[in-house]
Amino acid sequence: MYALLDRALKTVVERGTLRVTGPDGKLRDYGDGTGTPVNISIMTPLAAARIAADADLYLGECYMDGTLDVSGGSTIYDALAILMDNAQTHKMPKIAKAANAVRIALKRVDQYNPVGKAKNNVAHHYDLSGALYDLFLDRDRQYSCAYFETDDGSLEDAQLAKKRHIAAKLAIEPGMKILDIGSGWGGLGLYLAEICGAEVTGVTLSEEQHKLSNERARQRGVSDRVKFLLKDYRHLDAKFDRVVSVGMFEHVGVGHFREFFNKVNALLADDGVAVLHSINRSAGPDATSAWIKKYIFPGGYIPALSEVLPHIEKSGLYVSDIEILRLHYAKTLREWFLRFADHRERARKLYDERFCRMWEFYLAASECAFRYMGMNNFQIQFVKNQHALPLTRNYMFAEEERLREIDSKLPRFKSVLPAE
């Protein structure tokens, strides 16, 4: 049964050195012998057959159950890095192509996210223990791509810079009403209220996020200007001067893109401005990873710009600015992976060893996708009226510097790690 996997690895791995100990105990090398060898072990013939048949699903599952392991100082990140770095430029086995073609054909069914189902999908991931997220996120619990203004900047600085960068694009005046779709644990909403002087309404489908974000607003004394609702954005009917959404669009589903932008159009004031921050699939439309769909983000999908822009156009909105953030999420995920590794024992006490291996695989695979598979982030600014913003982008740079002068005084949210 190992013969299928042997043939697949010989097809895929042409650069670097991958050393695989098979279920028969035999050591086999793949690649051109360059670089630091990456050592993995396949424990059973069934695991080898499954990975050969559908690596997109079973590579992660086998790592979770321990029938695939790493050794000799290698990590699961190292293993995924060599596989993805090769896979981006080399032909995949025919059986893998066939499995992916089926997923593409079924993606509208998989991503059918009406109101009730959308809430259940969100709960699967975002209603995990808050103590888990404190193990690897920054102190503000920003769970989306940070913005690294310098290559050696800290995660905390980069997440603050992300909020500043987005706020500058929103061109906020004090007293404006802002809607934050997918408001998370409230960090962006609090920033827009405290630093920009806005009145913010955030909506989330996560009960845990809803409770904590409102408690944070209460503790910071801004509950009169910031409120977070446990509500689907599709159930809102107010008007807002600004609309922002960060890291939520990946949960909308390709069949609901038109619905999303039509609703934003209805919610946005005639002279309003909106900013959408999302992961981008730069190689074009595809399917969600089978493993990610099953274990991490059910109903989720990373869009390509070519899938998004037509719906903005058809909704009657004007695209006024697009920025692509390259490698910023890879750096963000590297920080998360290292912090999770530092607190792995605490995570195991919260859940179990299988969960820890799942989370390691999730963070490592995601980072590799951004480093080697063409994933990045887009920020799309759009308006209803082409006269709503200044003629050039200079206002963004000026506002970003103005905000930088004052946001150093922003109270930081202190996370508390669980006791040993």
Side-chain angles (χ1 to χ4, degrees):
M1 297 180 79
Y2 185 82
L4 289 174
L5 182 58
D6 181 63
R7 187 157 53 246
L9 290 174
K10 286 177 178 176
T11 300
V12 173
V13 183
E14 295 186 2
R15 296 186 306 277
T17 304
L18 179 66
R19 290 180 173 167
V20 181
T21 301
D24 57 0
K26 183 178 178 180
L27 180 66
R28 299 170 177 87
D29 282 4
Y30 302 91
D32 60 6
T34 61
T36 302
V38 177
N39 300 280
I40 68 173
S41 298
I42 308 295
M43 307 301 188
T44 68
L46 180 58
R50 284 178 169 175
I51 294 169
D54 191 357
D56 187 42
L57 175 60
Y58 292 115
L59 197 67
E61 284 198 352
C62 289
Y63 182 71
M64 287 168 63
D65 64 26
T67 55
L68 179 152
D69 208 355
V70 291
S71 60
S74 300
T75 68
I76 188 60
Y77 172 82
D78 299 327
L80 291 169
I82 192 171
L83 290 171
M84 290 195 190
D85 187 30
N86 278 276
Q88 68 166 338
T89 56
H90 296 283
K91 292 182 179 181
M92 297 299 294
K94 290 182 180 180
I95 191 168
K97 288 185 176 181
N100 196 57
V102 172
R103 289 176 187 126
I104 292 174
L106 294 176
K107 72 180 185 180
R108 283 183 175 267
V109 176
D110 292 336
Q111 297 160 34
Y112 177 59
N113 292 320
V115 174
K117 185 180 178 185
K119 188 176 188 303
N120 290 337
N121 287 342
V122 165
H124 176 89
H125 191 88
Y126 295 97
D127 284 344
L128 294 170
S129 169
L132 168 69
Y133 291 104
D134 277 338
L135 295 179
F136 68 96
L137 297 181
D138 68 298
R139 291 188 295 271
D140 196 41
R141 277 209 201 161
Q142 289 292 303
Y143 195 26
S144 58
C145 176
Y147 183 64
F148 287 85
E149 295 179 312
T150 62
D151 193 53
D152 59 352
S154 71
L155 179 62
E156 276 70 24
D157 286 343
Q159 291 293 13
L160 177 59
K162 185 261 301 292
K163 291 179 287 184
R164 181 192 309 128
H165 197 60
I166 290 171
K169 292 183 178 186
L170 287 167
I172 299 166
E173 297 290 338
M176 281 186 170
K177 297 183 183 301
I178 298 180
L179 172 64
D180 181 1
I181 301 177
S183 50
W185 289 282
L188 178 61
L190 291 170
Y191 183 94
L192 298 179
E194 293 175 324
I195 300 301
C196 303
E199 296 182 17
V200 181
T201 298
V203 291
T204 178
L205 295 178
S206 164
E207 295 187 10
E208 291 298 318
Q209 290 182 339
H210 173 248
K211 287 187 292 187
L212 180 59
S213 55
N214 278 304
E215 176 59 20
R216 291 181 68 189
R218 186 193 67 78
Q219 290 179 357
R220 302 269 273 266
V222 292
S223 294
D224 59 327
R225 290 186 286 131
V226 188
K227 59 182 179 180
F228 299 99
L229 309 177
L230 187 64
K231 197 169 195 175
D232 194 294
Y233 75 96
R234 290 170 284 194
H235 287 167
L236 297 171
D237 57 10
K239 285 286 185 181
F240 298 90
D241 301 299
R242 301 289 187 264
V243 175
V244 63
S245 183
V246 178
M248 174 270 182
F249 193 69
E250 299 90 333
H251 302 281
V252 169
V254 68
H256 297 273
F257 288 176
R258 177 74 62 86
E259 179 183 32
F260 178 87
F261 290 109
N262 283 345
K263 186 61 179 180
V264 171
N265 193 341
L267 295 169
L268 193 62
D270 289 342
D271 59 351
V273 178
V275 172
L276 175 66
H277 171 116
S278 170
I279 301 173
N280 172 50
R281 190 183 295 274
S282 63
D286 209 307
T288 300
S289 158
W291 186 85
I292 289 288
K293 178 179 68 176
K294 182 174 180 178
Y295 291 99
I296 307 297
F297 294 120
Y301 177 67
I302 293 172
L305 271 174
S306 60
E307 295 175 291
V308 176
L309 293 176
H311 292 294
I312 298 178
E313 296 166 356
K314 291 173 183 176
S315 70
L317 296 162
Y318 295 98
V319 173
S320 47
D321 190 82
I322 299 177
E323 181 179 7
I324 301 297
L325 305 183
R326 297 172 298 103
L327 296 175
H328 289 264
Y329 219 157
K331 290 176 66 63
T332 304
L333 284 153
R334 169 79 336 207
E335 289 293 321
W336 291 350
F337 183 84
L338 294 174
R339 291 180 182 209
F340 183 80
D342 286 343
H343 301 292
R344 192 183 192 280
E345 182 59 24
R346 290 175 174 177
R348 194 179 65 80
K349 289 178 180 177
L350 285 171
Y351 291 99
D352 56 23
E353 177 63 20
R354 179 180 170 84
F355 180 92
C356 287
R357 292 174 75 91
M358 178 188 77
W359 210 257
E360 287 170 340
F361 191 90
Y362 154 54
L363 294 176
S366 297
E367 180 185 345
C368 288
F370 283 90
R371 290 199 186 277
Y372 304 113
M373 302 294 287
M375 296 292 186
N376 51 46
N377 283 75
F378 62 65
Q379 290 183 350
I380 305 176
Q381 181 198 64
F382 48 95
V383 297
K384 293 176 75 170
N385 182 333
Q386 292 198 85
H387 302 279
L389 291 165
L391 192 59
T392 73
R393 302 178 83 244
N394 292 342
Y395 73 91
M396 294 184 192
F397 310 135
E399 178 66 358
E400 199 158 3
E401 290 308 307
R402 187 186 75 84
L403 293 174
R404 191 190 309 276
E405 288 293 318
I406 60 177
D407 66 17
S408 61
K409 303 179 179 65
L410 179 68
R412 303 293 191 262
F413 175 60
K414 302 296 185 183
S415 63
V416 180
L417 295 178
E420 293 283 7

